[in-house]
Amino acid sequence: MACQEFRFGCKLAPTESAAVGLEQDRSLRVGDQQLLKAGKEWIGSEQFPLAGERFGWGQGYIGAVKPASAEPSQSTEILILGGGPAGSAAATILAQAGRPVQLLERERFPRFHIGESLLPHSRTLFRKLGFDPQVEAAGFTPKFGATFFSACGQHVRRIDFAHAEGLPCPEAFQVPRDRFDQLLLEHAEAKGARVFQGWRVLEIEFGREGVQVRAQGPGEESRILRARFLIDASGRSGLVSRTLGLRKRDPKLQKVALFGHFRKVKSGWGEKPGDIRIVTRSDSGWLWFIPLPDDCTSVGLVIDRDRIPAGFPGQDEAAFRQWIGQSKIVAEMMASAERMTPLRVEADFSYRPERYAGERWLLAGDAGSFLDPVFSSGVHLALASGMDAAEVLLQHRGTGALPRRALREFERLQIQRYRLFRRFVLGFDRPEFRDLFFHQPVPEGIYRAVVSILAGQDRPSPSLRWRLQLFFTLVALQRRFTLVPRLHHPAG
Ligand SMILES: Cc1cc2nc3c(=O)[nH]c(=O)nc-3n(C[C@H](O)[C@H](O)[C@H](O)COP(=O)(O)OP(=O)(O)OC[C@H]3O[C@@H](n4cnc5c(N)ncnc54)[C@H](O)[C@@H]3O)c2cc1C
């Protein structure tokens, strides 16, 4: 399907179709009953009053309430594609505010997902989502920092989140994503979002009055579903970006990751328990080691795309071991390691869209942009952008197109965050950045500014910005003048 115009709700007038969507969407919840008891109309919400009175759907409508259906409604106000962190966060915010929201997820959870290392600033977002108690109770591995090793293994830099500024709690977590994502999706559902797993979106059409998708459920027949607004949180599938041809690869960050879960990976090279360990390679590549429960460690290698031979089978453990064995410290860590899961490959590393939003749609998480994960920023950025997208819809009262000003502001925020972290990711590829990064006596204020960003501070204060600028100025000077000793780079 191309991006042709269609009429939202087909034979119905826009307001009527919204009402039909609502009728099919709503199941009675505790809050609704309370409203009814208080003698108030429960349709819609304070933020988004719908046409209950006009259609005579006041208190008397209780008898007509339908139980939650196992099938998605044909029309709904807000449709979210994807139930990863971005989609679940968006769904939670909207459902908490009483907005009718329907989420389609291709997989059945729990499902494997890479990206297990979280940042402490995400805790603030969890609190806004009402999700922090679940994370606390889940028994995930606490993470208080990250330990970076130079390629030769002689230089170690520990990033201690306790040194970050403006961080309420320095504790983050290492999470098996199958479990974490499931908890978050269930949380969205508990808040009132209608979640449909096993529904794959195949096509999207954009119209003046809404968006229409074709989705394949557990049955063989595909279905057409309509919504006033769409949040694309389909991750690296990037359904909207691909449909509209918006995705632009970042030419400076074309990498490939090979990864799997291993047991019996050795620890004890100066890291603190729970730290993510990052080992750099001399060729701008790097490896991660993320401790998970039951002696499981997520191990991954990120290298330049052109180092991978064409047609390389991702599951080739011998090649993987050969690559990681090039680093002495990694060879020691992995000496007795046994693989627990198949090896996987992710290419198409860093990208950004030409636009993050349109009159009827918003991109959240990896469906918008993706950055090399060296600083574990992905889940945090996904949560934040999902919540931003939800806020745009909450601020918008009515069924008309999203106002340009709101779209511009949403886009500005996403670009700002992307650039902030990209600067570090790009820097990390450069020897002069690594020289300074690993050099211990960096001035305290500058070190704290760097740690603050690496803890997930995505809206730095002017003071932080100024000190970051100083850091990058030092990096630029190091390139020419050798301010600190240069790291030894053995072949890697
Ligand atoms: C190698 C690697 C290592 C990483 N390491 C880290 C890390 O340590 N820490 C970190 O924070 N981040 C890490 N990331 C990034 C992180 O995994 C992502 O940024 C994060 O998962 C993005 O969340 P999301 O909700 O946008 O997308 P996802 O989590 O990918 O969720 C998207 C969802 O959409 C669903 N979907 C896709 N297509 C369709 C469709 N057609 N119809 C319906 N549903 C669909 C998918 O099934 C999926 O559940 C890493 C990424 C990679 C590639």
Side-chain angles (χ1 to χ4, degrees), residues 119-407:
L119 296 180
H121 266 286
S122 293
R123 299 290 296 276
T124 310
L125 306 184
F126 293 156
R127 277 181 211 116
K128 284 191 187 149
L129 295 169
F131 183 59
D132 208 46
Q134 283 94 316
V135 181
E136 287 262 9
F140 294 133
T141 308
K143 166 189 173 187
F144 290 94
T147 306
F148 292 79
F149 300 88
S150 65
C152 60
Q154 286 163 12
H155 303 271
V156 181
R157 160 62 84 187
R158 179 156 194 274
I159 296 293
D160 186 339
F161 295 142
H163 297 143
E165 292 175 13
L167 183 61
C169 167
E171 184 186 40
F173 296 100
Q174 314 284 19
V175 299
R177 284 287 300 277
D178 52 353
R179 178 128 181 272
F180 173 82
D181 287 16
Q182 183 174 19
L183 282 176
L184 193 53
L185 187 59
E186 284 171 359
H187 180 69
E189 203 166 10
K191 291 286 175 186
R194 299 189 74 218
V195 172
F196 297 92
Q197 298 187 32
W199 280 81
R200 174 192 290 267
V201 173
L202 304 171
E203 286 169 326
I204 309 176
E205 272 187 41
F206 302 87
R208 243 182 311 165
E209 293 174 13
V211 178
Q212 164 173 302
V213 305
R214 191 160 69 80
Q216 175 92 53
E220 278 177 18
E221 290 282 298
S222 64
R223 298 255 308 262
I224 299 291
L225 309 172
R226 300 185 177 89
R228 290 266 175 229
F229 303 105
L230 180 110
I231 296 179
D232 182 7
S234 61
R236 292 157 60 75
S237 301
L239 296 170
V240 167
S241 267
R242 287 180 198 264
T243 305
L244 298 179
L246 299 175
R247 189 170 280 186
K248 292 188 296 186
R249 280 186 183 172
D250 192 327
K252 293 191 174 160
L253 288 168
Q254 285 312 301
K255 311 252 176 145
V256 174
L258 309 176
F259 50 89
H261 285 176
F262 290 78
R263 65 169 72 86
K264 296 188 188 166
V265 175
K266 280 195 200 147
S267 51
W269 269 266
E271 74 279 7
K272 294 259 165 72
D275 278 5
I276 182 174
R277 286 179 286 173
I278 303 285
V279 184
T280 62
R281 285 168 54 95
S282 57
D283 59 0
S284 87
W286 56 278
L287 296 108
W288 78 74
F289 295 82
I290 299 172
L292 297 171
D294 305 323
D295 187 30
C296 172
T297 304
S298 170
V299 180
L301 163 73
V302 176
I303 46 175
D304 285 334
R305 198 190 175 99
D306 51 22
R307 288 192 156 244
I308 300 275
F312 171 75
Q315 303 77 3
D316 187 341
E317 185 168 352
F320 180 74
R321 286 208 176 254
Q322 192 195 335
W323 267 310
I324 63 176
Q326 288 164 353
S327 157
K328 192 166 161 258
I329 178 172
V330 174
E332 284 177 33
M333 286 176 185
M334 295 293 287
S336 325
E338 295 166 6
R339 190 163 53 78
M340 299 166 72
T341 61
L343 286 175
R344 293 179 162 91
V345 185
E346 282 284 355
D348 248 358
F349 242 46
S350 301
Y351 53 78
R352 231 193 75 181
E354 261 165 39
R355 278 187 298 152
Y356 279 91
E359 289 185 346
R360 297 276 168 188
W361 53 269
L362 299 137
L363 306 183
D366 289 2
S369 36
F370 179 81
L371 257 183
D372 182 297
V374 61
F375 294 118
S376 308
S377 53
V379 171
H380 181 73
L381 297 181
L383 292 166
S385 61
M387 292 166 76
D388 289 345
E391 284 299 334
V392 171
L393 296 180
L394 285 186
Q395 298 305 320
H396 182 57
R397 291 153 197 265
T399 55
L402 294 168
R404 290 211 174 147
R405 210 167 143 200
L407 299 183

